[in-house]
Amino acid sequence: MPQFLILNSAFLAMHIPDGFLSLPILGVTWISTIGLITISLKQVESDYQDRTVPLMGVCAAFIFAAQMINFPIPGGTSGHLLGGTLAGVLLGPWAGSLVMSVVFMVQGFVFQDGGITAMGANIFNMGLIGTFGGYYLFRTVRNLVGQGLRGIVVGTAIASWFSVVTASAIAAIQLAISGTVPLLIGMTAMVGWHVMIGVGEALVTVATVTFIWRSRPDLLYTSSKKMNSELLR
Amino acid sequence: MHRYSSTQNNRIFILTGLSIALIVAVLLSPFASKNPDGLDRVAQDLKFESKSEKDSIAKKLPFFSIFEEYTMRGVPESVATPLAGLVGTIATFGLSMALGKLTTRQRHISQDDSTLK
């Protein structure tokens, strides 16, 4: 392990540290994140039943653990799972968003991974883009492809890949507005790497969702309308 | 039948899922790639890495005396990251379960009861 000397900086994950984002961007990202978390809390209180709780715990634990595992990508870079789409597909956008927020809070407060002032941006980029954008893209693709395993695999793969690439593009825009790096250069670099990192995201997300679909399909999120009609049967 | 065994099924699911997460966090974490990740790499290449706040708020929190990033302080290097992974995974699991219990409705229990009657 010749690289052990740089161990300290190596674990600084893909999270935005304090100092990269300007005050206006911090404000906008915090307001967006707090707004969406508040709506999520209300939705979970009114729509979710306690049978979701075990999946919330396991999903959060798995995403935290998986985010520690940086996988190498060609060109001397690495990436790790973000997990937003995974949480969205398994738990739905609302409980999924809560779980992602817990992951980033533990990382930021306990392990100094990602800035505290930048936490709103990190939750938004790496969590909520996946739990909302990823989830609704997954549902759209699944409705087009079919409700069986194939629809789940194709939908999950496309949604998780796009959520990572979108997150990197949004981060590039935030960095550019903050005056940290020019838009075009930052965008090219960020999206360039995350096009490859997204493939890793898709592989892990598809494998995990398929595993749960095969072992405990009853745990997968179905929107409340479907849930109600099932209960009425 | 399914409802009868749902508590047991959930217990199996929690144990299996948490075990997989712990295996990843404890046993796989030392083998994670040490290459800079997406944002780090871009920050290095485009020379804005130095803008990150050295004296960040997180380093003023008491957790910083226990963990320096994903390594536990005061333990042999070989177990520093696995122990950080262990604590982090269990903390995330516990907090999410607690948040779920506080926010979700208990409805299905009473429904199960009424079905059993």
Side-chain angles (χ1 to χ4, degrees), chain A residues 8 13 18 50 75 112-113, chain B residues 33 37 41 53 69-70 108:
Chain A
N8 276 349
D18 286 331
D50 57 359
Q112 307 100 43
D113 189 8
Chain B
S33 168
D37 64 32
R41 175 61 187 266
E53 178 67 50
E69 288 167 23
Y70 295 101
H108 93 279

Side-chain angles (χ1 to χ4, degrees), chain A residues 7-8 13-14 18 20 45-46 48-50 55 57 60 65 70 75 77-78 107 111-113 179-180 216, chain B residues 9-10 13 21 33-38 41 46 48 51-53 64 67 69-70 93 96-97 103 105 107-108:
Chain A
L7 188 85
N8 276 349
M14 307 211 271
D18 286 331
F20 277 12
E45 280 174 346
S46 66
Y48 284 66
Q49 295 169 17
D50 57 359
L55 188 56
N70 282 56
T77 304
S78 73
Q107 291 173 334
F111 300 103
Q112 307 100 43
D113 189 8
T180 300
R216 287 293 303 274
Chain B
N9 276 347
N10 281 347
F13 175 80
S33 168
K34 305 288 187 289
N35 290 337
D37 64 32
R41 175 61 187 266
L46 303 179
F48 63 87
K51 288 193 182 178
S52 79
E53 178 67 50
F64 187 56
F67 299 106
E69 288 167 23
Y70 295 101
F93 173 78
S96 297
M97 289 282 282
T103 51
R105 285 180 303 169
R107 204 175 69 180
H108 93 279

Side-chain angles (χ1 to χ4, degrees), chain B:
Chain B
M1 250 254 305
H2 177 74
R3 278 172 191 268
Y4 172 75
S5 59
S6 77
T7 317
Q8 206 182 356
N9 276 347
N10 281 347
R11 207 162 289 157
I12 294 167
F13 175 80
I14 292 176
L15 282 176
T16 313
L18 189 59
S19 305
I20 293 173
L22 287 173
I23 287 169
V24 171
V26 175
L27 300 181
L28 285 185
S29 59
F31 300 101
S33 168
K34 305 288 187 289
N35 290 337
D37 64 32
L39 179 62
D40 280 342
R41 175 61 187 266
V42 173
Q44 287 169 17
D45 286 354
L46 303 179
K47 317 261 182 269
F48 63 87
E49 203 186 14
S50 59
K51 288 193 182 178
S52 79
E53 178 67 50
K54 298 286 169 295
D55 197 24
S56 66
I57 303 169
K59 289 185 178 169
K60 297 186 178 82
L61 297 175
F63 297 113
F64 187 56
S65 60
I66 308 169
F67 299 106
E68 187 182 7
E69 288 167 23
Y70 295 101
T71 56
M72 187 180 264
R73 295 178 190 270
V75 295
E77 203 187 303
S78 57
V79 293
T81 296
L83 282 173
L86 178 76
V87 174
T89 304
I90 290 173
T92 313
F93 173 78
L95 286 171
S96 297
M97 289 282 282
L99 182 62
K101 282 201 170 127
L102 287 172
T103 51
T104 56
R105 285 180 303 169
Q106 305 264 321
R107 204 175 69 180
H108 93 279
I109 290 174
S110 56
Q111 272 180 353
D112 277 1
D113 288 348
S114 61
T115 324
L116 288 172
K117 281 169 202 161

